[in-house]
Amino acid sequence: MPQKKPDSYRIVKPGEPHPQGWQVPPVNDLRSAIKLLKTLPGHYIETDREVDPNAELAGVYRYIGAGGTVMRPTRIGPAMTFNNIKGFPDARVLVGLMASRERVSALLGAPVRELGIQMAEARRNVTPPVMVDKAQAPCQEVVYRADDEGFDLRKILPAPTNTSEDAGPYFCLGLVLGSDPDDRDNADVTIHRLCVQSKDELSIFFAPGRHIDAFRQKAEAAGKPLPVSINMGLDPAIYIGAEFEAPTTPFGFNELCVAGGLRGRPVELVECLSVNQRAIARAEIVIEGEILPNVRVEEDQNSHTGKAMPEFPGYTGEANPSLPVIKVKAITTRHNPILQTLVGPGEEHVSLAGIPTEASIHIECEDALPGLVKNVYAHSAGGGKFLAVLQVQKRNAGDDGMTRQAALIALAVYRELKNVILVDEDVDLFDTDDVLWAMQTRYVGDIDTLFVPGVAGHVLDPSQQPFYDPRLTAKGTTSKTIFDCTVPYHLKEHFVRAQFKEVDASLWAPDLFAK
């Protein structure tokens, strides 16, 4: 399958050492991912107790392992499969597969602190997807066609409703694959908000700047529908790789190539059965459909709550009054499929959005300022999007200014980033207490704060609205902030942390260090 703007390729076989020293695990779909998690204590559980997909399932997982920006109490916990879904005797729902950085580390095969670096390497060394025959595509083992008598996607798939005020049931991990109406090889994959509207219709919400929306607009201008596939229940490398955004993955770049780079093997695609589009061959579930031209619906037309669903900043989004419609043509699944979902504001979103954010920033900073930025963390408090912590190692007085330049690069490369905190190499960027310690002892507000006003941010941040800031003419605009919590180079000797004796503490407390 041709790939626009090809990069260099590196082939790494599963189970063999990665050139960077990472061990690529034998995972190529959701089921092999679950099999791996079952070998890791504390990372996967199942329940046979009946659960209602309407608000109850998400309510349960809020306490089990949602984390992220979910209202407390919540926590980081295991992934969970519900085997007994009310009203769906043959259905299973998995939530939280990627709701832990440690779990993502095991699934991708890189150390917890190097996941962003691993993603950067996968972006630099891509492997394009390949086509396979239908006989090699387990996603088409069972077929439901929309023109079959009695077809109703609401009875086939248990799409969860996260809260009682949601606009309706949502597919929260539906990876939409679309392509240029005039060039099917110019394809893109993105996760979008998909609300079930009827037996064969979904609404789709596009945040500004999404590439599939550009394809939709082009097709609509020609009066044509845009064929898409919605792929659910995937190898986590596919989901995370798909979360790269421009300019790191520019228009015309297929993010499935990143998943191939992570695995060292191509993602397998298959021709859809009812529309002129491709689907991910090893998906658990695929919805085939077309985005209709010049058709719009109110997102909450069935509930009239005025709300959409809980979003990553921790608030329930407002229902959109006019969204494009996907007309479903077919649903294909594996035997006994697993519907994969997430809790909108949870830690799973942090992994999905944050790790590619870290990679994007690392790539651009390393290209512009080699050796200065040691690591990047897209903090959970910002849902993986709004807050980044950059760890730097200054080498001379000139790096005082270069450090702040790195923060500007981060804001430029990731449009939705709102705040950047800069810390030195002796600060653990993954430890919020340590970062806040640096802010208390290495930061003075009126000399170490930089403001970048009036630039594009994210429409789902409620503070980026004209009603919050009357200076704004449109939502999704904000003032961005850089907090320089690093020591000026010439003062380094005055900010040396207390040095403790290096010992093997496990000799005194072996149970605390047992693996």
Side-chain angles (χ1 to χ4, degrees), residues 129-164:
V130 297
M131 297 298 299
V132 299
D133 294 333
K134 293 179 174 59
Q136 300 171 281
C139 72
Q140 295 178 350
E141 290 172 345
V142 180
V143 179
Y144 306 87
R145 295 185 180 272
D147 54 8
D148 291 343
E149 184 177 354
F151 176 89
D152 191 335
L153 71 89
R154 298 168 298 187
K155 297 178 181 179
I156 298 170
L157 302 176
T161 301
N162 282 264
T163 75
S164 59

Side-chain angles (χ1 to χ4, degrees), residues 158-496:
T161 301
N162 282 264
T163 75
S164 59
E165 64 179 2
D166 284 11
Y170 280 88
F171 295 113
C172 297
L173 276 174
L175 187 71
V176 182
L177 192 161
S179 52
D180 187 318
D182 299 322
D183 180 5
R184 203 169 64 140
D185 290 332
N186 182 7
D188 185 73
V189 287
T190 334
I191 297 173
H192 298 283
R193 199 163 81 199
L194 300 165
C195 186
V196 178
Q197 298 293 348
S198 70
K199 67 183 181 67
D200 63 353
E201 289 185 344
L202 308 170
S203 61
I204 181 168
F205 171 79
F206 291 104
R210 296 296 186 256
H211 293 167
I212 290 180
D213 193 28
F215 296 150
R216 178 198 64 80
Q217 293 177 41
K218 184 176 182 180
E220 186 170 74
K224 298 178 180 179
L226 182 75
V228 296
S229 66
I230 302 168
N231 304 268
M232 294 180 280
L234 308 171
D235 176 354
I238 296 176
Y239 277 125
I240 295 177
E243 288 299 292
F244 271 111
E245 296 182 12
T248 307
T249 51
F251 191 72
F253 180 91
N254 185 346
E255 288 87 353
L256 292 177
C257 297
V258 178
L262 286 168
R263 291 294 183 219
R265 63 163 61 157
V267 174
E268 296 177 346
L269 301 176
V270 66
E271 293 289 347
C272 291
L273 301 180
S274 64
V275 296
N276 184 26
Q277 191 48 268
R278 294 155 175 150
I280 297 173
R282 301 194 65 81
E284 291 287 319
I285 297 164
V286 176
I287 299 175
E288 303 178 0
E290 295 176 331
I291 303 180
L292 301 178
N294 304 308
V295 177
R296 302 290 187 270
V297 296
E298 295 181 7
E299 193 168 15
D300 65 337
Q301 66 175 344
N302 296 312
S303 67
H304 304 292
T305 63
K307 301 293 185 179
M309 61 169 286
E311 293 284 4
F312 74 90
Y315 303 94
T316 298
E318 299 296 319
N320 194 293
S322 180
L323 290 181
V325 173
I326 299 175
K327 177 67 74 171
V328 175
K329 298 296 184 180
I331 297 172
T332 71
T333 76
R334 288 186 171 209
H335 293 300
N336 195 21
I338 304 169
L339 177 67
Q340 191 175 354
T341 189
L342 56 70
V343 174
E347 190 71 13
E348 192 153 17
H349 187 280
V350 176
S351 297
L352 281 165
I355 296 171
T357 298
E358 295 164 13
S360 297
I361 295 171
H362 190 274
I363 288 170
E364 294 301 321
C365 286
E366 183 61 22
D367 286 349
L369 308 167
L372 177 63
V373 176
K374 309 308 292 183
N375 210 341
V376 181
Y377 173 42
H379 200 285
S380 179
K385 285 179 175 282
F386 289 167
L387 174 61
V389 185
L390 273 62
Q391 182 191 57
V392 302
Q393 185 168 12
K394 295 180 181 179
R395 300 149 299 189
N396 52 59
D399 279 347
D400 287 337
M402 292 300 181
T403 291
R404 297 184 175 194
Q405 182 68 28
L408 292 172
I409 290 171
L411 292 174
V413 75
Y414 195 71
R415 166 175 67 82
E416 297 169 349
L417 187 60
K418 184 178 181 182
N419 296 309
V420 177
I421 301 175
L422 298 163
V423 298
D424 292 297
E425 72 275 10
D426 63 344
V427 175
D428 184 348
L429 74 166
F430 294 101
D431 184 334
T432 299
D433 286 344
D434 216 28
V435 172
L436 290 179
W437 168 83
M439 180 172 281
Q440 308 322 304
T441 65
R442 300 177 176 183
Y443 166 84
V444 176
D446 62 345
I447 62 174
D448 293 319
T449 312
L450 287 74
F451 299 103
V452 184
V455 291
H458 199 293
V459 295
L460 294 180
D461 178 356
S463 72
Q464 299 183 34
Q465 312 281 348
F467 67 73
Y468 187 93
D469 183 352
R471 297 173 302 174
L472 301 179
T473 57
K475 63 182 181 180
T477 305
T478 191
S479 178
K480 303 193 176 186
T481 313
I482 297 168
F483 302 90
D484 188 350
C485 303
T486 63
V487 177
Y489 183 78
H490 73 284
L491 297 178
K492 292 282 265 185
E493 63 181 290
H494 299 286
F495 289 82
V496 178

Side-chain angles (χ1 to χ4, degrees), residues 10-78:
R10 173 185 294 153
I11 302 300
V12 183
K13 296 180 180 179
E16 291 186 356
H18 191 281
Q20 295 285 39
W22 300 312
Q23 191 73 20
V24 180
V27 173
N28 65 352
D29 59 11
L30 179 58
R31 299 191 184 196
S32 55
I34 292 173
K35 181 179 179 180
L36 174 62
L37 292 187
K38 287 181 177 180
T39 68
L40 305 175
H43 280 287
Y44 179 79
I45 60 174
E46 295 186 5
T47 178
D48 292 329
R49 181 182 176 89
E50 184 182 75
V51 69
D52 192 333
N54 184 8
E56 188 174 48
L57 187 150
V60 171
Y61 195 67
R62 176 254 186 112
Y63 294 103
I64 300 296
T69 60
V70 170
M71 185 176 177
R72 274 51 184 166
T74 188
R75 63 177 178 178
I76 304 297

